[in-house]
Amino acid sequence: MTPLNILYQDEYLVAVHKPSGLLVHRSALARGETEFLLQRLRDQIGKRVYPVHRLDRPTSGVMVFGLSSEMAALLSEAFSERQVEKRYLAVVRGKAPESERLDYPLREEDGTRPKAEMPAMPAMTDIRRLDSVELPIQVDRYPVARYSLVEAQPLTGRRHQIRRHLSRRGYPIIGDAKHGKSIHNRFFADQLDAPRLLLAATYLAFNHPFIEKRIQLGCALDETMKRVFEQFGWSGHLPLDSVRTPPTAKPAALQER
């Protein structure tokens, strides 16, 4: 089994590139699955790890785990208080807007009761079109097929927020079986060898709770998305694995001591 790509690790936390298709931990969604990111990471580094946030199963990219329950609680609080900067790259159908704030309330999708009975929660995502391509191929009803590379920055943390927001705006993410368009998903799977959701968490930044540093993590794309970028002439937008740790003020966790 290929080792996980660890992007950053210190005595308090570890950041890893989650592969697409891998569940983070056991849940009701598991249904017979035997492989999970949490267990693989624990076995690889020889330490218990504690989840802090979530990524959908088909989404790839950077994930952070605490190496203690205390650290995980502090990081989880930072995520819930919107103190973490997150950026994603997505390949979408159509020519997306140059930049726009998507402000559509979303009902939770937790499966405990019908979605229509769930309260609509505020949800905001900033999007920016980085590039686009027009293929001289009739995939849908138009004689050409247009696709865009979008950077998405969620300002809230609703389930499937980026996927649902982009779909509602009319630019569904390629490979999204639930919120996308099957004819385009099949075209990418059959013709471009990209049979999965083309959404990746490529950047995460947060203030370290115990060290006077801001952790800024970049995460490269996997081979599937990289191949699509190269075919579309988007190689200049390929992110790289990177770690920057500029200094910050004294962490709140230390101020209280």
Side-chain angles (χ1 to χ4, degrees):
M1 187 181 295
T2 306
L4 295 165
N5 180 16
I6 293 175
L7 302 167
Y8 174 86
Q9 184 177 354
D10 60 27
E11 61 183 296
Y12 302 103
L13 62 89
V14 59
V16 64
H17 181 161
K18 183 189 94 66
S20 172
L22 187 62
L23 285 167
V24 175
H25 50 69
R26 295 181 189 280
S27 72
L29 300 174
R31 294 198 183 113
E33 293 291 328
T34 58
E35 196 179 332
F36 303 91
L37 178 64
L38 191 144
Q39 281 79 18
R40 276 185 61 181
L41 181 58
R42 177 198 63 198
D43 293 347
Q44 183 169 324
I45 68 174
K47 295 180 179 179
R48 285 194 69 180
V49 295
Y50 299 81
V52 170
H53 60 119
R54 67 182 178 225
L55 279 183
D56 297 340
R57 178 178 185 164
T59 305
S60 63
V62 59
M63 278 203 78
V64 174
F65 292 83
L67 294 178
S68 68
S69 56
E70 180 188 13
M71 184 63 176
L74 290 167
L75 286 171
S76 293
E77 184 179 356
F79 272 87
S80 62
E81 295 293 325
R82 305 183 193 177
Q83 296 167 358
V84 177
E85 185 182 353
K86 297 176 281 186
R87 290 186 219 146
Y88 294 71
L89 290 180
V91 180
V92 306
R93 186 198 73 189
K95 188 165 185 178
E98 190 172 327
S99 66
E100 194 171 311
R101 173 162 290 180
L102 307 184
D103 186 358
Y104 308 130
L106 297 173
R107 298 183 188 277
E108 280 298 332
E109 296 181 321
D110 64 359
T112 59
R113 51 182 166 149
K115 198 166 116 178
E117 295 178 10
M118 303 293 280
M121 308 291 287
M124 284 191 298
T125 307
D126 284 344
I127 62 168
R128 187 162 64 102
R129 186 184 76 240
L130 302 181
D131 218 326
S132 60
V133 68
E134 184 174 289
L135 306 180
I137 301 167
Q138 183 165 355
V139 175
D140 206 339
R141 61 184 183 274
Y142 303 106
V144 296
R146 296 184 179 90
Y147 302 101
S148 298
L149 171 60
V150 168
E151 180 187 78
Q153 187 170 350
L155 306 180
T156 52
R158 309 301 170 205
R159 188 179 295 273
H160 300 166
Q161 177 174 312
I162 296 172
R163 295 160 65 177
R164 294 164 72 188
H165 268 175
L166 282 166
S167 178
R168 179 161 173 181
R169 183 61 179 82
Y171 303 97
I173 300 176
I174 299 301
D176 190 339
K178 186 170 184 181
H179 307 286
K181 198 158 186 185
S182 59
I183 192 167
H184 292 276
N185 296 348
R186 282 197 302 272
F187 170 71
F188 271 73
D190 297 342
Q191 304 300 321
L192 301 175
D193 195 21
R196 68 163 186 84
L197 181 73
L198 298 184
L199 174 66
T202 56
Y203 180 82
L204 203 59
F206 54 92
N207 290 343
H208 197 298
F210 288 107
I211 301 173
E212 294 175 35
K213 299 284 186 184
R214 183 162 178 82
I215 308 297
Q216 300 174 340
L217 303 171
C219 185
L221 299 179
D222 62 18
E223 288 304 315
T224 298
M225 287 192 71
K226 201 180 296 182
R227 195 163 50 243
V228 170
F229 276 45
E230 289 166 351
Q231 289 172 311
F232 285 177
W234 296 346
S235 295
H237 299 289
L238 284 169
L240 301 173
D241 289 343
S242 64
V243 178
R244 293 187 65 240
T245 55
T248 63
K250 191 173 183 180
L254 297 183
Q255 292 173 7
E256 296 166 2
R257 297 186 171 188

